[in-house]
């Protein structure tokens, strides 16, 4: 019924309840009211679940409040975490667009928000059309409410009502061994020296990595100078405060880091523990830079393998195979190949468009780099959007038949001179050996 109130406000039942219990607010903000009926009290019980599962889809941005509304695409926390400055008075999301365009004002975002929020905002796709903002159910891929997903959210909420929110680790896109490791860390089961001493194991308690303090879980992963060097290298603005417990530390991670950075942070934790064990058993020590690089290489490989599974990725192929696999358009037609390359670590995307005729002659090459990281489907849709007025039909092409566009998209990622470059009737040098 709560879903009906939100998605079908014109239905008779929605109008009746709204008039009685929340005439000047939405269902999500409705109070219990005076002398509530049993039915209303029961429906209102679901309010917290809807608050946790509902998301705003940004259209013209005039209805979504920057602070207080769930409009970011981050799975773990869809809300802005930067405190609202005093001089702003409840702005809506459209105030963050560049004037006369629907693109995010990157300079404005960096002036107001912390890095985590800037990354999350840049990852929200904007629309050229002037459609209204709308709500959808974030618990399902299709955005439609199901009882099953609501039940799952309710169970997760119960889990989070305990000490920390790390039960969400099972949802992250990292290999299972990292999840299991992190679960052990959060469950206080890693055999750190303080734990071994408590269990009457005869060993010293000095930290192997710094030699300056006793070894405990919070010391190894947060307070140790070795760990702090690793976190600085991970290039986040995450505050490196000294903390008393792993649970408080993990809670902070869950609130402040984006899903992508959180995944990398967990892999760095694993890498720190590996370095500690290597020092313990093999007496060889990795530098913090090597520890972080090892974790990030693992992370990049995992993301690339997953992207390949879903039809996109950044694994290069032999360029000759594209020339053989690419199919020219019919006589008198042009073919526009489009591709997107994702840089998960730096949270940016590269778009590539290559227009060729029936002889394979290149008429135009465009490459564009964008900050932020859309989902794979959103990125492909965004790539197609630019060319939608020119094309009569869309066909999905396998990577092996789309290598030229992919090469352009990959170059867009590392082109530091300009975010967008167009080549008309000429071929960039990096493509001369490919086409
Ligand atoms: Zn230490």
């Amino acid at each position: 019924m709560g879903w009906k109130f939100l998605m079908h406000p014109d239905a008779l039942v929605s109008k009746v309840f709204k008039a009685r219990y929340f005439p000047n607010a939405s269902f999500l903000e409705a109070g219990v009211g005076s002398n509530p009926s049993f039915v209303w009290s029961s429906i209102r019980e679901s309010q917290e679940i809807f608050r946790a599962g509902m998301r705003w889809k940004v259209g013209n941005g005039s209805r979504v409040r920057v602070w207080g509304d769930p409009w970011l695409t981050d799975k773990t926390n869809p809300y802005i975490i930067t405190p609202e400055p005093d001089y702003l008075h409840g702005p809506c999301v459209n105030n963050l667009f560049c004037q006369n365009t629907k693109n995010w004002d990157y300079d404005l975002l960096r002036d107001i928000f912390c890095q985590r929020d800037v990354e999350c905002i840049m990852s929200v796709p904007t629309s050229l059309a002037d459609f209204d903002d709308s709500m959808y159910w974030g618990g399902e891929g299709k955005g439609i409410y199901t009882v099953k997903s609501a039940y799952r959210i309710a169970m997760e909420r119960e889990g989070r009502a305990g000490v920390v929110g790390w039960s969400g680790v099972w949802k992250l896109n990292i290999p299972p061994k990292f999840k299991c490791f992190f679960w052990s860390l959060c469950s206080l089961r890693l055999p750190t020296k303080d734990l071994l001493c408590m269990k009457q194991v005869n060993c010293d308690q000095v930290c192997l990595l710094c030699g300056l303090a006793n070894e405990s879980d919070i010391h190894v992963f947060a307070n140790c100078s070795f760990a702090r060097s690793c976190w600085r290298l991970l290039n986040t603005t995450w505050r490196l405060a000294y903390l008393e417990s792993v649970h408080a530390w993990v809670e902070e991670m869950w609130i402040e880091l984006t899903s992508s950075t959180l995944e990398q942070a967990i892999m760095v934790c694993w890498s720190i523990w590996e370095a500690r064990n290597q020092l313990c058993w093999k007496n060889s020590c990795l530098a913090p830079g090597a520890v972080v690089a090892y974790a990030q290489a693992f992370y990049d490989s995992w993301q690339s393998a997953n992207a390949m599974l879903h039809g996109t990725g950044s694994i290069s192929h032999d360029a000759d195979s594209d020339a053989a696999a690419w199919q020219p358009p019919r006589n008198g037609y042009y073919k526009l190949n489009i591709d997107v390359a994702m840089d998960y670590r730096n949270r940016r995307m590269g778009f590539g468009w290559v227009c060729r005729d029936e002889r394979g002659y290149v008429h135009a090459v465009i490459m564009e780099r964008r900050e932020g990281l859309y989902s794979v489907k959103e990125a492909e849709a965004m790539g197609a959007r630019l060319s939608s007025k020119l094309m009569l039909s869309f066909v999905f092409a396998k990577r092996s038949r789309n290598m030229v566009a992919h090469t352009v998209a990959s170059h867009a990622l590392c082109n530091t001179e300009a975010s967008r470059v167009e080549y008309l009737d000429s071929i960039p040098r990096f493509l001369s050996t490919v086409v």
Side-chain angles (χ1 to χ4, degrees):
M1 195 59 81
W3 173 251
K4 188 149 192 168
F5 291 166
L6 290 166
M7 304 309 290
H8 303 287
D10 294 329
L12 181 59
V13 66
S14 305
K15 286 181 177 177
V16 169
F17 274 86
K18 182 171 177 60
R20 172 76 175 83
Y21 294 107
F22 49 100
N24 301 313
S26 79
F27 167 64
L28 296 180
E29 295 158 335
V32 66
S34 60
N35 194 21
S37 70
F38 176 74
V39 174
W40 167 246
S41 299
S42 303
I43 295 172
R44 198 172 163 278
E45 285 288 305
S46 65
Q47 200 178 39
E48 283 302 312
I49 295 174
F50 280 105
R51 278 190 189 139
M54 294 305 290
R55 298 284 186 275
W56 277 102
K57 182 167 70 178
V58 175
N60 56 30
S62 61
R63 289 177 61 200
V64 185
R65 294 172 301 172
V66 176
W67 278 271
D69 280 343
W71 61 281
L72 303 179
T73 53
D74 187 23
K75 289 178 211 155
T76 53
N77 184 1
Y79 293 91
I80 293 288
I81 62 168
T82 308
E84 183 175 357
D86 294 335
Y87 56 85
L88 295 176
H89 306 287
C92 286
V93 165
N94 56 356
N95 294 110
L96 306 179
F97 292 148
C98 293
Q99 277 191 334
N100 305 322
T101 74
K102 287 284 186 62
N103 292 325
W104 300 114
D105 188 334
Y106 191 48
D107 293 332
L108 177 70
L109 298 184
R110 286 195 300 180
D111 281 346
I112 299 177
F113 299 102
C114 66
Q115 185 185 339
R116 178 268 179 191
D117 285 348
V118 173
E119 289 177 359
C120 287
I121 295 171
M122 293 303 292
S123 298
V124 176
T126 55
S127 168
L128 297 175
D130 189 33
F131 68 82
D132 287 338
D133 304 317
S134 57
M135 297 201 89
Y136 67 97
W137 179 248
E140 289 283 344
K142 290 182 179 175
I144 308 290
Y145 171 81
T146 62
V147 174
K148 183 179 172 187
S149 58
Y151 179 75
R152 195 170 58 230
I153 287 176
M155 289 300 100
E156 283 173 8
R157 288 180 61 76
E158 285 201 5
R160 287 178 178 219
V163 187
V164 291
W166 42 270
S167 56
V169 70
W170 303 110
K171 277 187 160 185
L172 296 177
N173 184 20
I174 51 176
K177 76 170 177 180
F178 294 94
K179 295 179 184 179
C180 293
F181 160 78
F182 200 69
W183 185 264
S184 300
L185 168 59
C186 295
S187 307
L188 312 180
R189 288 179 188 153
L190 285 185
T192 47
K193 287 185 173 181
D194 64 334
L195 196 67
L196 293 174
C197 286
M198 275 172 58
K199 296 189 174 187
Q200 313 301 323
V201 177
N202 186 19
C203 64
D204 69 79
Q205 292 199 48
V206 180
C207 170
L208 290 161
L209 293 167
C210 70
L212 298 173
N214 286 352
E215 186 189 89
S216 63
D217 45 17
I218 187 62
H219 175 80
V220 171
F221 296 103
N223 295 339
C224 180
S225 57
F226 186 91
R228 294 165 72 80
S229 299
C230 292
W231 299 126
R232 278 189 208 98
L233 289 166
L234 191 60
N235 195 23
T236 74
T237 53
W238 189 21
R239 300 272 180 263
L240 291 164
Y242 280 91
L243 289 161
E244 293 296 320
S245 79
V246 159
H247 286 161
W249 181 65
V250 172
E251 184 85 337
E252 193 175 280
M253 285 170 84
W254 238 259
I255 293 169
E256 293 203 15
L257 302 185
T258 62
S259 299
S260 158
T261 313
L262 183 61
E263 287 162 1
Q264 292 178 60
I266 289 173
M267 293 172 99
V268 169
C269 284
W270 176 84
S271 200
I272 290 172
W273 187 246
E274 285 290 299
R276 179 264 186 203
N277 289 341
Q278 198 166 327
L279 191 57
C280 182
W281 303 113
K282 297 181 182 173
N283 204 26
S284 65
C285 185
L286 291 171
V291 167
V292 175
Y294 184 60
Q296 289 190 320
F298 217 129
Y299 178 77
D300 290 344
S301 302
W302 175 259
Q303 294 293 347
S304 295
N306 270 282
M308 287 295 288
L309 268 180
H310 294 96
T312 62
S314 53
I315 296 174
S316 60
H317 293 243
D318 181 3
D320 291 340
S321 66
D322 179 65
W326 183 77
Q327 297 295 313
R330 280 186 287 160
N331 281 350
Y333 286 79
Y334 292 95
K335 178 177 269 191
L336 185 64
N337 284 87
I338 309 164
D339 203 7
V340 187
M342 306 290 224
D343 181 347
Y344 291 97
R345 195 188 311 168
N346 295 307
R347 297 187 62 79
R348 60 174 63 131
M349 301 169 289
F351 293 86
W353 296 271
V354 180
C355 180
R356 284 174 281 190
D357 63 17
E358 71 271 11
R359 296 165 299 164
Y361 180 79
V362 177
H363 286 264
V365 174
I366 304 174
M367 60 183 191
E368 183 171 324
R369 188 185 70 247
R370 283 197 178 204
E371 299 299 322
L373 211 55
Y374 301 158
S375 72
V376 171
K377 284 180 185 169
E378 288 167 347
E380 289 179 343
M382 198 59 77
R385 186 174 79 177
L386 182 92
S387 48
S388 59
K389 290 179 181 171
L390 306 172
M391 299 180 70
L392 294 176
S393 62
F394 290 96
V395 176
F396 175 76
K398 286 184 178 176
R399 171 60 44 79
S400 60
R401 295 187 175 197
N402 206 28
M403 277 311 298
V404 175
H406 182 65
T407 305
V408 176
S410 301
H411 270 75
L413 276 179
C414 49
N415 179 32
T416 53
E417 292 173 13
S419 60
R420 182 184 173 95
V421 183
E422 300 182 3
Y423 302 87
L424 302 176
D425 285 319
S426 66
I427 302 176
R429 188 176 295 170
F430 63 81
L431 273 190
S432 57
T433 58
V434 182
V435 294

